[in-house]
Amino acid sequence: MNPHDFDSAPNDGLQRMNVFSQDYLEGLYRDFLQNPDQVPVEWREFFQKQEAAEALPTLPAQSTAPRELTASEMGVAQLQDRVDQLVRGFRVRGHLEANIDPLGMPRPTNRELNPESYGLLPSDMQKKFSARTIYGDDYRTLEEIVDQLRHTYCRSIGAQFMHIDDHHVRDWLQERMEGSRNRMSLNRQTQVRILNRLTDAVIFEEFVRKKYVGAKTFSLEGAETLIPLLDLAIEKACRQGLVEVVFGMAHRGRLNVLANIMNKRTENIFWSFDDPVSESHRGGGDVLYHLGHSCNWKSSEGCNIHLSLCFNPSHLEFVNPVALGRCRSKQDRISDDARQKVMTILIHGDASFAGEGVVQESLNLSQLNGFQVGGTLHLIVNNQLGFTTDTTEGRSTTYASDVAKMLQIPIFHVNGEDPEAVAQVVELAMDFRQAFKRDVVIDMYCYRRLGHNESDEPRFTQPVMYRTIDRLPTIRDSYLKRLLKMKEVTAEEAEEIAVKRREKLDRDFETAQKSKYDSDEQTLGGYWQGYFGGSEPAEETPTAVAAGKLTFALQRLCALPPTFNVNPKLKRVLEQRDEMALGKRPIDWATAELAAMATLALEGHSIRISGQDTGRGTFSQRHAILHDVENGKTYIPLQHISDDQARVEVINSPLSEAGVLGFEYGYSLDHPESLVCWEAQFGDFWNAGQVIVDQFIASAEDKWRRLSGLTMLLPHGFEGAGPEHCSARVERFLTLAAEHNMQVVNATTAAQYFHLLRRQVLRPWRKPLVCLTPKSLLREPMVSSGQDEFTEGHFQKILVDPVPDLRRSAARIVLCTGKIAIDLLKRREQTSRPVAVIRVEQLYPLPEQEIAAILDEYPPDVPVYWVQEEPQNMGACYFMKVRLSEDFLRRWPLKFICRKESASPATGSKNTHKLEQQELLEAALDVAVPLAAKTK
């Protein structure tokens, strides 16, 4: 096959077939004949057109008995083989000798980049060899080959990409890098733009440091190239047709990004330093380098793109899944199922990227259907230092980025003191992301001119490094020197740029000093209009559904395609659900949940639920995703309720808590009208994502005025399964509960759960919902509800005792929540004890007035007890003591019945659990025996 046979092949500047070898062309064509889907779409379409025109060349037959080579041919072949090995050596190891460190620390030479290591002598350097796998002429001297490879892989850019398994992807990267020698030719306009952005970054840092001596800003000094990098990435995103970019970053350089990328008014940044409105931030707000912002960006070519910088705490990388969830949510909102209109840019530190496990969790989401966002651009601001910790103490890997090699993506290491090399990798990275919809990493080597913060002295711990840093000019000065030498700008032009920047900052500073504070904090708008936070509204929202709608939804949940082969054991489950639809059987917990989701979808509210084993349900109860027993294909009845229903996603997540919980929280930030749920496999496991709960879910409204309606489903209940499968640690949520910041609910009937999920969406009050869900009670008849409980009423924060006569005859009143209430009711039925059981279904906000109103219906001298399964130092015990008012406790002095305090939630012995549970129930119901004897 002759390459010239393919002159009409697609030529988009990325796939130039005439630069590839004949063997490559033949291999590509053979791949097409064997499996067309393996071939890139451009080439598949080309081959199909040629095939239709009967214009495809004939492949040479593959000989099964090659002729024996002559001695001369053997010698040439051996030399060529050595050259090919050398080429591969540069592609695999070239990054190890690349000049990526602006501090000039020596890098060890690598024998795989030395021609002599392959037996290639100096006398071979002028010999010509086949170079068809390299961009350019088919035959070149060895000297020319080595020169091209060194310029491509060993200058200011080091590329790691040979770990990628797909040869089409590797070929794409090789052609792009080797064809340009990894250096793009910048016009004067772009060079001046880079100089402008470097000037913005450098002068902002100098100005702030001068005006606010000693203030913590987590300066970008030493890494100012981040600003032109982001500028170039956004401009490229505009050209690629994106309409929005979501950013996540920690605090290093955040103020510079806010001022110079996010267009936050610099006078407001200065106001934040002066803190003129201290009274308004009592108990709330956050430090200025944690704040987010959004703006509209107008590109140099006139297109608009929206930028959103996520708020985040000091927990560095934990913003990553939140930003990814927001990106996915924005994509879904505009039906960007191709993931081409919204992208994420995550800015990392080198120490945190290597050290924080949530980085791996987030990377692992990148190619999973339920979490894909079309590829994320990761930017590592590599200071080569973590606070005071050297890289040799902070990681066990060569590079901070090595964890990213778990993905089939390229990693570009680039010298941050070479802005034009940075421009090259930005262009390459953005094109790669668009072409393959995968993540890509830019590891920008730089340094930290100051300490971890401005009051820190880095020379205590890194004296040698800082002797080098102290001698370095600013990146603006070094780049300007290069441009002056190339006569691309004049010194006068550069000075004019700097003067204008300083004058603007002076004006903004003067405004901040003289004028009244004028906040640019962004309030709820757009699709958040009509929703509110603050205190819980007093009125209840109607959540019942018409009987016809309920029946229709339940029947659709049981309807399967005629060709679908359901598991025989599930036929009975579907038959029972059909009986529930017809009112022949009470509705159980799992069916009530599906009914809530189905009716919400019918009403136009999208549904998203994810978690480990969520499709089936940890306890084999949900069966939201059905699997055909013959071919393994799946069917989700919730997606087929009606033709005009809202989107429903049921997603089995990876074995991750922090990453997935953060993703779903981020998703909820841009979908207030939807039911967004994260389910823990067991409630105990959420503590692996506690940073997301503490720093985002519980406190975002207080710190950042950001609302979320995320629902956390946490299986909870003491059933003898051991310490790690019993407690959702409700006490931790109740400790975090304040200022009506979240809802903590422990519902005990299917109808209550149905109304609760619908209430979460239908009422405009937006708060995270912590919902403790059952395990053994999933199939408990007492938990099931009749249809009339779904077609009437609403969620009730308190459930009164189902025996009205006890209001006159009760010898004791028990307040409790969750599974223990069902155990008490069943035990009371067996023993006929005169004990009233009142269920507190909503623990927070605590409905004290409603509890008091119910207790008022009992005689005043009846003792009241709080009973819980959890040990005394867990559960709601201390919460009830502290939260109930003094007036309440004077009138009803609560006594407590629970397991004794413990370091671990529960025993690991099933028999011991049964014994403890029996003693607990007896102590709660036995009105004749002193309590002290039962609970010590």
Side-chain angles (χ1 to χ4, degrees):
M1 183 189 300
N2 190 310
H4 297 295
D5 292 332
F6 289 82
D7 285 341
S8 61
N11 183 2
D12 60 358
L14 309 180
Q15 298 272 13
R16 292 175 55 88
M17 288 306 291
N18 58 347
V19 307
F20 292 114
S21 70
Q22 182 173 333
D23 289 344
Y24 175 79
L25 296 175
E26 293 177 0
L28 193 65
Y29 183 34
R30 291 184 197 278
D31 286 348
F32 169 75
L33 294 176
Q34 294 173 6
N35 187 351
D37 291 338
Q38 282 188 349
V39 179
V41 63
E42 295 89 349
W43 289 104
R44 185 161 67 246
E45 292 173 355
F46 167 72
F47 286 134
Q48 288 167 346
K49 289 178 182 176
Q50 296 293 96
E51 206 172 44
E54 299 183 351
L56 283 169
T58 303
L59 288 171
Q62 293 179 311
S63 173
T64 56
R67 69 177 178 84
E68 188 173 332
L69 298 177
T70 66
S72 175
E73 289 172 329
M74 182 70 76
V76 172
Q78 288 176 340
L79 281 177
Q80 182 65 55
D81 180 62
R82 293 169 185 173
V83 172
D84 292 341
Q85 290 182 51
L86 176 64
V87 171
R88 178 174 174 79
F90 270 97
R91 289 168 175 166
V92 176
R93 307 289 183 216
H95 60 88
L96 295 174
E97 286 192 14
N99 179 30
I100 58 175
D101 185 359
L103 300 182
M105 304 301 284
R107 306 194 76 196
T109 57
N110 191 285
R111 64 179 301 275
E112 293 179 63
L113 308 184
N114 184 353
E116 294 186 11
S117 298
Y118 300 92
L120 296 167
L121 304 176
S123 58
D124 295 321
M125 297 303 289
Q126 299 307 315
K127 294 178 181 177
K128 286 198 170 184
F129 294 91
S130 172
R132 286 181 170 176
T133 64
I134 309 173
Y135 189 100
D137 296 336
D138 287 351
Y139 291 92
R140 276 167 278 173
T141 65
L142 179 57
E143 183 178 59
E144 292 171 332
I145 292 172
V146 171
D147 180 71
Q148 181 173 357
L149 293 171
R150 280 209 169 272
H151 276 80
T152 300
Y153 298 113
C154 301
R155 283 194 293 175
S156 296
I157 300 170
Q160 288 182 284
F161 66 100
M162 292 297 284
H163 58 279
I164 298 173
D165 295 331
D166 188 335
H167 71 86
H168 296 305
V169 178
R170 295 198 307 272
D171 291 342
W172 186 95
L173 287 163
Q174 287 166 193
E175 190 272 335
R176 284 296 303 275
M177 292 188 290
E178 294 167 6
S180 64
R181 297 195 169 202
N182 242 350
R183 173 73 69 163
M184 67 188 300
S185 178
L186 299 181
N187 57 33
R188 181 182 184 278
Q189 181 182 359
T190 304
Q191 290 174 325
V192 172
R193 186 180 183 96
I194 291 174
L195 178 63
N196 269 284
R197 302 311 257 153
L198 288 172
T199 303
D200 291 341
V202 169
I203 289 180
F204 176 84
E205 295 294 350
E206 291 174 348
F207 188 91
V208 169
R209 188 148 50 91
K210 178 181 177 181
K211 296 294 185 181
Y212 299 97
V213 178
K216 286 186 179 182
T217 67
F218 296 95
S219 165
L220 191 61
E221 292 175 76
E224 293 97 334
T225 307
L226 176 66
I227 299 304
L229 189 164
L230 292 174
D231 177 87
L232 292 167
I234 296 166
E235 289 286 305
K236 181 71 174 181
C238 286
R239 294 195 296 274
Q240 291 178 336
L242 282 97
V243 298
E244 187 160 4
V245 179
V246 179
F247 294 87
M249 70 177 297
H251 41 273
R252 174 74 54 206
R254 192 179 187 92
L255 295 183
N256 211 313
V257 170
L258 282 168
N260 292 314
I261 297 296
M262 300 304 301
N263 295 326
K264 185 176 176 69
R265 290 159 52 194
T266 45
E267 59 263 39
N268 275 22
I269 294 176
F270 299 151
W271 267 316
S272 297
F273 281 113
D274 295 329
D275 200 10
V277 286
S278 54
E279 281 298 318
S280 68
H281 291 150
R282 285 185 181 271
D286 201 352
V287 292
L288 66 167
Y289 40 81
H290 289 171
L291 302 180
H293 196 68
S294 63
C295 70
N296 291 316
W297 174 290
K298 193 176 187 69
S299 77
S300 58
E301 297 178 2
C303 76
N304 292 310
I305 189 168
H306 188 71
L307 310 181
S308 299
L309 174 63
C310 296
F311 296 78
N312 76 280
S314 287
H315 290 65
L316 301 175
E317 303 292 341
F318 281 86
V319 74
N320 298 348
V322 176
L324 294 172
R326 288 198 68 188
C327 180
R328 173 72 175 233
S329 185
K330 290 173 182 290
Q331 290 171 341
D332 287 352
R333 178 168 291 283
I334 61 174
S335 300
D336 179 22
D337 296 331
R339 316 294 170 199
Q340 294 177 333
K341 296 297 182 182
V342 187
M343 72 170 291
T344 311
I345 296 178
L346 297 178
I347 305 168
H348 313 271
D350 52 314
S352 59
F353 196 83
E356 296 282 358
V358 72
V359 172
Q360 183 275 335
E361 292 189 41
S362 301
L363 291 171
N364 189 48
L365 299 176
S366 68
Q367 292 297 304
L368 303 179
N369 287 336
F371 304 93
Q372 284 178 332
V373 295
T376 295
L377 178 61
H378 298 270
L379 308 177
I380 300 176
V381 178
N382 194 332
N383 294 311
Q384 308 182 69
L385 184 62
F387 203 159
T388 66
T389 303
D390 288 320
T391 56
T392 55
E393 300 169 308
R395 64 175 188 259
S396 298
T397 57
T398 302
Y399 295 110
S401 58
D402 279 350
V403 66
K405 290 174 70 177
M406 66 182 280
L407 300 181
Q408 298 285 295
I409 63 172
I411 301 167
F412 301 110
H413 310 281
V414 61
N415 191 321
E417 295 283 284
D418 187 345
E420 296 194 6
V422 171
Q424 161 69 9
V425 295
V426 170
E427 186 82 8
L428 183 56
M430 291 292 286
D431 282 342
F432 176 87
R433 178 200 162 274
Q434 185 184 50
F436 299 102
K437 296 184 180 178
R438 301 185 192 178
D439 289 20
V440 59
V441 176
I442 298 176
D443 178 16
M444 188 180 77
Y445 270 67
C446 44
Y447 54 90
R448 197 184 67 200
R449 190 174 289 277
L450 305 177
H452 176 68
N453 58 61
E454 286 61 30
S455 62
D456 181 51
E457 176 49 80
R459 292 160 189 81
F460 290 155
T461 50
Q462 278 77 29
V464 176
M465 172 185 280
Y466 274 85
R467 275 200 297 272
T468 301
I469 291 173
D470 290 340
R471 293 193 293 267
L472 293 175
T474 68
I475 177 57
R476 177 195 181 265
D477 290 345
S478 60
Y479 187 58
L480 175 58
K481 184 178 180 181
R482 168 182 164 80
L483 294 184
L484 291 172
K485 184 177 181 181
M486 297 171 62
K487 298 183 179 180
E488 295 293 344
V489 298
T490 65
E492 292 75 20
E493 288 176 308
E495 181 59 24
E496 183 181 357
I497 292 170
V499 168
K500 286 182 178 179
R501 297 304 187 271
R502 291 191 186 97
E503 287 177 347
K504 182 184 183 304
L505 291 176
D506 279 326
R507 289 194 302 271
D508 293 344
F509 180 77
E510 197 170 319
T511 300
Q513 296 298 305
K514 292 183 178 180
S515 63
K516 186 178 179 181
Y517 176 71
D518 178 19
S519 173
D520 64 353
E521 289 182 354
Q522 293 159 340
T523 56
L524 299 177
Y527 40 78
W528 274 98
Q529 286 183 343
Y531 297 96
F532 59 89
S535 299
E536 183 179 28
E539 64 279 3
E540 282 296 337
T541 298
T543 51
V545 297
K549 178 187 285 188
L550 179 65
T551 299
F552 173 77
L554 289 172
Q555 288 181 323
R556 293 302 300 160
L557 290 169
C558 306
L560 300 179
T563 58
F564 191 87
N565 302 291
V566 70
N567 186 297
K569 292 183 179 179
L570 289 183
K571 286 183 179 179
R572 179 57 183 153
V573 173
L574 296 178
E575 289 170 357
Q576 289 175 348
R577 287 180 178 174
D578 195 50
E579 292 173 3
M580 295 174 196
L582 298 174
K584 298 178 180 179
R585 173 188 289 268
I587 298 173
D588 62 19
W589 184 279
T591 307
E593 177 187 72
L594 295 175
M597 293 180 178
T599 53
L600 285 170
L602 286 172
E603 293 163 13
H605 300 280
S606 62
I607 311 293
R608 180 182 168 93
I609 177 172
S610 77
Q612 297 157 25
D613 314 296
T614 288
R616 190 202 71 174
T618 297
F619 312 101
S620 197
Q621 85 282 8
R622 182 173 289 120
H623 299 294
I625 304 178
L626 303 176
H627 298 258
D628 191 302
V629 295
E630 298 296 330
N631 54 33
K633 291 182 178 179
T634 59
Y635 183 77
I636 302 177
L638 277 169
Q639 295 177 343
H640 302 277
I641 306 299
S642 75
D643 292 338
D644 58 351
Q645 69 172 81
R647 176 196 295 262
V648 175
E649 291 185 285
V650 182
I651 301 161
N652 285 326
S653 78
L655 190 61
S656 158
E657 283 80 33
V660 177
L661 177 57
F663 191 100
E664 301 307 337
Y665 170 76
Y667 194 97
S668 73
L669 295 178
D670 286 87
H671 257 83
E673 76 280 17
S674 303
L675 179 64
V676 182
C677 303
W678 175 76
E679 182 177 54
Q681 189 178 61
F682 285 87
D684 318 57
F685 297 171
W686 75 265
N687 59 16
Q690 187 158 351
V691 170
I692 302 297
V693 173
D694 291 353
Q695 307 302 328
F696 292 94
I697 294 172
S699 58
E701 182 180 353
D702 201 29
K703 294 189 294 188
W704 310 316
R705 300 184 182 179
R706 285 297 177 265
L707 304 180
S708 165
L710 177 69
T711 297
M712 296 175 62
L713 304 177
L714 308 178
H716 175 84
F718 283 59
E719 292 156 343
E724 277 75 57
H725 297 85
C726 63
S727 175
R729 296 289 195 169
V730 64
E731 65 277 358
R732 295 183 180 174
F733 291 107
L734 296 177
T735 299
L736 292 170
E739 302 177 297
H740 288 220
N741 61 332
M742 67 174 93
Q743 307 162 82
V744 182
V745 175
N746 196 356
T748 55
T749 75
Q752 280 279 85
Y753 185 45
F754 172 85
H755 289 296
L756 175 66
L757 292 180
R758 287 179 54 81
R759 182 183 78 160
Q760 180 69 355
V761 175
L762 296 179
R763 70 174 174 176
W765 191 58
R766 276 295 163 270
K767 299 285 175 169
L769 167 62
V770 177
C771 180
L772 308 182
T773 58
K775 296 176 288 182
S776 63
L777 294 188
L778 289 168
R779 296 170 179 83
E780 167 59 49
M782 192 177 289
V783 170
S784 297
S785 304
Q787 272 203 15
D788 60 327
E789 297 179 70
F790 295 80
T791 58
E792 299 173 3
H794 51 74
F795 177 75
Q796 300 177 66
K797 299 174 185 178
I798 309 293
L799 288 183
V800 299
D801 193 294
V803 180
D805 290 346
L806 281 171
R807 296 180 190 181
R808 296 187 304 273
S809 60
R812 174 182 295 177
I813 302 171
V814 166
L815 296 176
C816 57
T817 187
K819 170 181 163 290
I820 189 68
I822 305 302
D823 290 347
L824 286 168
L825 290 172
K826 290 169 67 176
R827 182 66 175 163
R828 187 186 70 183
E829 187 177 344
Q830 296 168 356
T831 60
S832 300
R833 305 287 176 85
V835 176
V837 178
I838 298 172
R839 287 172 267 180
V840 181
E841 301 278 281
Q842 179 171 298
L843 288 167
Y844 190 84
L846 183 64
E848 179 179 322
Q849 292 182 355
E850 289 91 331
I851 298 173
I854 292 172
L855 293 180
D856 269 336
E857 298 179 9
Y858 291 84
D861 56 345
V862 178
V864 181
Y865 296 86
W866 176 262
V867 177
Q868 65 178 37
E869 293 183 300
E870 298 89 345
Q872 182 179 356
N873 57 317
M874 301 177 192
C877 185
Y878 289 153
F879 172 79
M880 298 299 287
K881 288 181 181 179
V882 172
R883 286 287 175 170
L884 290 172
S885 68
E886 292 182 6
D887 288 342
F888 183 100
L889 293 174
R890 273 196 298 269
R891 188 169 182 186
W892 296 287
L894 274 186
K895 298 179 182 179
F896 296 86
I897 300 174
C898 50
R899 287 174 168 82
K900 67 178 182 179
E901 66 177 20
S902 172
S904 174
T907 177
S909 165
K910 196 169 186 68
N911 287 335
T912 301
H913 161 76
K914 290 179 179 179
L915 177 63
E916 290 177 350
Q917 196 75 356
Q918 182 178 352
E919 290 176 347
L920 185 66
L921 296 176
E922 284 300 314
L925 296 175
D926 192 344
V927 295
V929 180
L931 291 176
K934 294 296 184 182
T935 58
K936 65 181 179 180

